[in-house]
Amino acid sequence: FKDKSKRGLLELHPVLFAANPRIDLIYETIKWQDECVREDKIEYMRSELPGSGKKLRPQKGTGRARMKDKRAPQFVYGGVPLGKRPRDHGYDLDLDILIGGFSGICTAKHAQGDLYIVDSIESDTMIPSLVQFRKHINAESVLFVTGHKGSLSPKTLRYASNQVSTC
C-alpha cells in the first residue's frame, strides 16, 4: 500500500460491475444487513436475577401477604414473569433483490473509483494492513465483501476493523 501504483488488471464481470444501480434495491439490501445485526436487550426472568431465594418473612403469623423472595415481579428490580429473549430481526431477502442491491453498490463504487479488490490479508498482520489501507485510500468508510472461508472471514474482519477504528 505504500505506493499508489496498480498491482495488476482484473477482468470485472459486467453483470456485477456494469449494472444499472437502483436506489430501491440498494436501500433494501442495506436495510436487510442492518436488521440482520440488530439485537434487542434482554429482560431477565426471576430465575436469572442475582440474589438468594431466601424467604422474606414467614408464610403465616404476620398478618401480611405471603412473599417468597425479592426477585418476584411485583418488586422494584424484580424479574419479568416471561422475560424477553434475544430477538433476531433478520429476515429472508429475495435473491433477486439481494443480487440487484449488491451489484448496484459494486457498480457505484467502481464508477466513483472507490473499488479496491484485495485477494488476501494475512491474519497476523491484518490490523496494521487495514490501518495502512485506510490511510492509503483516505476514506472514512470502507465496504468489505468477504467470503466465509480463509483468513478474511467476516468475524475476523469485524474484530480487526473494530481495532482499527480505535487506532
Side-chain angles (χ1 to χ4, degrees):
F1 300 121
K2 292 181 181 177
D3 57 346
K4 296 197 177 203
S5 64
K6 296 187 179 185
R7 300 284 179 196
L9 296 177
L10 184 66
E11 189 71 31
L12 300 178
H13 199 281
V15 172
L16 189 60
F17 294 100
N20 184 15
R22 290 182 44 192
I23 300 298
D24 58 333
L25 297 182
I26 293 173
Y27 170 76
E28 285 296 326
T29 305
I30 292 172
K31 187 175 87 169
W32 171 74
Q33 283 183 322
D34 289 344
E35 290 294 318
C36 285
V37 297
R38 182 175 151 199
E39 294 178 1
D40 274 341
K41 292 182 180 177
I42 299 172
E43 289 186 0
Y44 294 102
M45 294 172 54
R46 66 187 288 175
S47 62
E48 298 168 340
L49 289 173
S52 76
K54 183 182 179 299
K55 200 161 176 61
L56 291 176
R57 58 175 171 245
Q59 178 88 357
K60 296 181 177 244
T62 61
R64 299 172 71 191
R66 56 188 177 201
M67 289 188 219
K68 186 177 178 209
D69 58 10
K70 290 181 181 179
R71 298 181 292 181
Q74 70 263 28
F75 294 116
V76 177
Y77 305 114
V80 177
L82 299 172
K84 288 183 184 177
R85 301 290 91 205
R87 182 175 169 217
D88 181 22
H89 291 274
Y91 56 90
D92 293 332
L93 190 63
D94 189 23
L95 189 61
D96 294 335
I97 295 174
L98 192 61
I99 291 172
F102 277 128
S103 64
I105 291 169
C106 290
T107 301
K109 286 285 186 187
H110 178 61
Q112 295 170 355
D114 292 337
L115 182 68
Y116 298 92
I117 298 175
V118 178
D119 186 27
S120 66
I121 297 176
E122 298 298 324
S123 60
D124 53 340
T125 62
M126 185 177 287
I127 295 173
S129 297
L130 289 177
V131 170
Q132 191 176 12
F133 178 69
R134 191 171 167 191
K135 288 178 183 175
H136 172 70
I137 64 172
N138 196 16
E140 289 296 319
S141 66
V142 179
L143 169 68
F144 286 101
V145 180
T146 64
H148 287 281
K149 296 180 183 174
S151 64
L152 202 56
S153 67
K155 186 180 271 189
T156 309
L157 190 62
R158 185 178 306 123
Y159 171 75
S161 64
N162 286 341
Q163 297 299 321
V164 168
S165 64
T166 59
C167 292

